[in-house]
Amino acid sequence: ASERLEGLAALFGPSVERTVLDFSGRLEEQVLIFPEKGRAKRVVFFGLGSTADINEESVRTSLAEAGHLAKRLKIETAAMALDEALPEPDRCAQAAVEGFMLASYSFTKYFTTDRGGYTGPERLVLHGTISEKHLRRGVEYGRIVSESVCTARDLVNLSPDEKTPTQFGKAVEKSAKKYGYEAFVWDK
């Protein structure tokens, strides 16, 4: 842990070492710092809980907190380091993407006022010591699950006059064509 702390302090400056004094790492804990060095405007430490309790659900919960914070601070690009010490690294990468994307979701179709052009975080960058194979697989699964959930949320949030059976059938056919699966829409 001290090696990681030294590495972060080298990247972001001495505020990292001072901040960690108040950071226990418990689940859902977060500490925001403004680094003296590097390109990052802000660095946030998110707790995952005790080492023995870290699992994909604690990663998902922590990244959901990150998604909420990113929306509140109007952050467009967020980055997270995943460590190879995580259990089942591909599933933890998937959970990270799901937590962040689902927490960042907003249905804005019916907003009547300009929200300043900010529509939510655009990118989540994951890197770290996890093998690229595990990282890519987890990220891809997480993206697919999250996009599916967001699509379902969009459909639920549409007004009834915008999701008639005919319109819904066309939307399913369009999705099938886009993503390469078979869809049959019957007229009765």
Side-chain angles (χ1 to χ4, degrees):
S2 63
E3 292 172 7
R4 289 188 197 123
L5 182 58
E6 289 172 10
L8 290 171
L11 283 173
F12 302 117
S15 61
V16 170
E17 292 171 330
R18 291 190 305 271
T19 302
V20 172
L21 295 173
D22 296 326
F23 183 69
S24 69
R26 73 180 185 280
L27 186 60
E28 297 184 40
E29 178 183 16
Q30 51 186 274
V31 177
L32 171 69
I33 66 169
F34 296 90
E36 296 94 350
K37 294 169 57 177
R39 293 179 29 202
K41 294 178 184 176
R42 300 172 193 94
V43 174
V44 183
F45 293 93
F46 287 94
L48 293 174
S50 67
T51 304
D53 295 333
I54 294 175
N55 57 34
E56 62 190 87
E57 191 55 38
S58 62
V59 171
R60 185 179 291 108
T61 298
S62 187
L63 265 288
E65 293 292 325
H68 290 300
L69 183 65
K71 275 176 63 174
R72 194 178 83 229
L73 297 175
K74 296 186 177 181
I75 293 171
E76 292 184 9
T77 301
M80 180 192 176
L82 294 174
D83 192 288
E84 65 190 6
L86 289 171
E88 299 185 77
D90 51 341
R91 293 183 59 116
C92 284
Q94 176 181 345
V97 171
E98 290 171 2
F100 190 84
M101 285 182 70
L102 296 177
S104 302
Y105 171 83
S106 292
F107 184 75
T108 59
K109 182 171 181 163
Y110 302 125
F111 282 178
T112 56
T113 59
D114 182 22
R115 306 267 179 188
Y118 180 74
T119 58
E122 298 290 324
R123 287 171 295 286
L124 172 64
V125 180
L126 297 177
H127 56 88
T129 57
I130 291 179
S131 77
E132 187 173 338
K133 175 184 161 189
H134 285 113
L135 190 61
R136 286 186 184 278
R137 182 174 39 215
V139 166
E140 183 63 11
Y141 287 164
R143 182 191 63 78
I144 290 167
V145 168
S146 299
E147 286 180 357
S148 300
V149 170
C150 290
T151 299
R153 288 177 176 178
D154 285 345
L155 289 170
V156 166
N157 286 316
L158 283 174
S159 69
D161 65 322
E162 291 187 78
K163 55 184 174 189
T164 64
T166 301
Q167 291 168 320
F168 185 70
K170 287 179 183 177
V172 169
E173 288 174 331
K174 182 178 175 184
S175 175
K177 186 175 180 181
K178 179 178 180 180
Y179 293 109
Y181 62 88
E182 269 188 88
F184 299 97
V185 178
W186 298 309
D187 61 355
K188 295 185 185 206

